Amino acid sequence: MADELKRRAVHASGAGLVALYLLAAQFDLGLTWDRFQLLMGLLAVGTIALEFLRLYVGVELSLYDSLTREYEQNQFAGYGYYMLSMTVAVLFFEPRVALPAMLMLAIGDPISGTVSDDSLKFVKGPKVLVTMFVVSTLIAAPFLHETPLAVVAAAVGATVADGVKLRIGDFIVDDNLTIPIYAGLLATLALEFGPV
C-alpha cells in the first residue's frame, strides 16, 4: 500500500511540469512553448535511457522501486509511457490542449485509481468512469472554457483512455500512454470542427 501511494504521488508530481510552464509564462521567465517542448523532449529521452539501463544493462536504482510495479520488471514501465505521452501532447497539441491533457494524466488518473477496485475488466466500473470524466472536465474547463464542446471532448477522451483497455494482440496498451493523446486528439477535433 505504501508503494502504491508513493507511485500515485510520483504520478501527480507531473502536474509540476504544467505549473512550471504556467508560472514561467505568468512571470515572463523565458520558458517559451518551444523551450518547453525541448525540455519535455529531453525528459522523454532521459526516461528512455533509464529504461534501457534498467532492462538491458541491469542497472538497479532505488528510484525504480517507486516508479515500477512488479509486473513491469521485464518490460517498458508505465512511467516511461507517462513521460512519452506527455511529450507527445506537448509536441503535437497547442498549449491550451496539451496542458490539460497532461494534467488529466498527472491528476485525473491517480484520482480515478483511488475509486477503482483494481480488477482487470475490459471496461472499468461506472464509479471510475464518472470520477475520471468529472475530474477531467474540471481540469479542462479553465483552459478551454471558451469552447465547452472541447472541454467535454477532452474529458471523454481521457475517460475512454482510462476506462477502456486497449489490446493489440497480446499487448495491453498502458493508459499512461493513451490518456493525454486521446484527450488532446478529441479536444483538437472539437476545436477544429465543432461549432464556434
Side-chain angles (χ1 to χ4, degrees):
M1 183 65 172
D3 283 344
E4 192 57 34
L5 287 174
K6 278 195 284 186
R7 274 190 284 275
R8 289 192 200 281
V10 168
H11 216 285
S13 70
L17 292 166
V18 176
L20 171 69
Y21 175 75
L22 291 174
L23 287 170
Q26 176 69 31
F27 295 107
D28 199 22
L29 299 177
L31 184 60
T32 63
W33 188 247
D34 287 344
R35 289 177 180 164
F36 188 61
Q37 289 175 316
L38 178 62
L39 171 64
M40 293 300 296
L42 292 172
L43 290 172
V45 169
T47 301
I48 292 168
L50 275 176
E51 278 299 274
F52 178 83
L53 291 172
R54 181 178 73 88
L55 293 170
Y56 300 106
V57 179
V59 173
E60 288 295 328
L61 303 172
S62 60
L63 172 71
Y64 293 131
D65 296 334
S66 298
L67 296 177
T68 61
R69 292 188 167 95
E70 190 173 320
Y71 68 85
E72 296 173 323
Q73 295 306 309
N74 297 313
Q75 65 185 33
F76 196 77
Y79 82 93
Y81 292 120
Y82 178 99
M83 205 62 238
L84 287 174
S85 68
M86 283 198 167
T87 302
V88 166
V90 168
L91 293 177
F92 291 98
F93 303 125
E94 61 182 290
R96 65 179 172 159
V97 171
L99 296 172
M102 293 170 71
L103 290 174
M104 288 174 197
L105 176 58
I107 297 171
D109 189 31
I111 289 175
S112 79
T114 62
V115 298
S116 175
D117 60 7
D118 286 328
S119 63
L120 297 174
K121 298 176 190 169
F122 176 69
V123 178
K124 293 181 181 176
K127 182 167 67 171
V128 179
L129 297 173
V130 168
T131 299
M132 186 63 174
F133 179 78
V134 169
V135 171
S136 296
T137 299
L138 292 173
I139 288 169
F143 295 91
L144 296 163
H145 59 88
E146 293 176 358
T147 315
L149 180 62
V151 172
V152 173
V156 166
T159 302
V160 168
D162 180 60
V164 180
K165 290 194 185 314
L166 174 62
R167 181 187 292 270
I168 300 173
D170 291 333
F171 179 71
I172 296 176
V173 179
D174 194 308
D175 66 0
N176 285 339
L177 181 62
T178 55
I179 289 172
I181 295 171
Y182 285 18
L185 278 173
L186 288 185
T188 299
L189 289 172
L191 289 168
E192 189 70 27
F193 300 109
V196 178

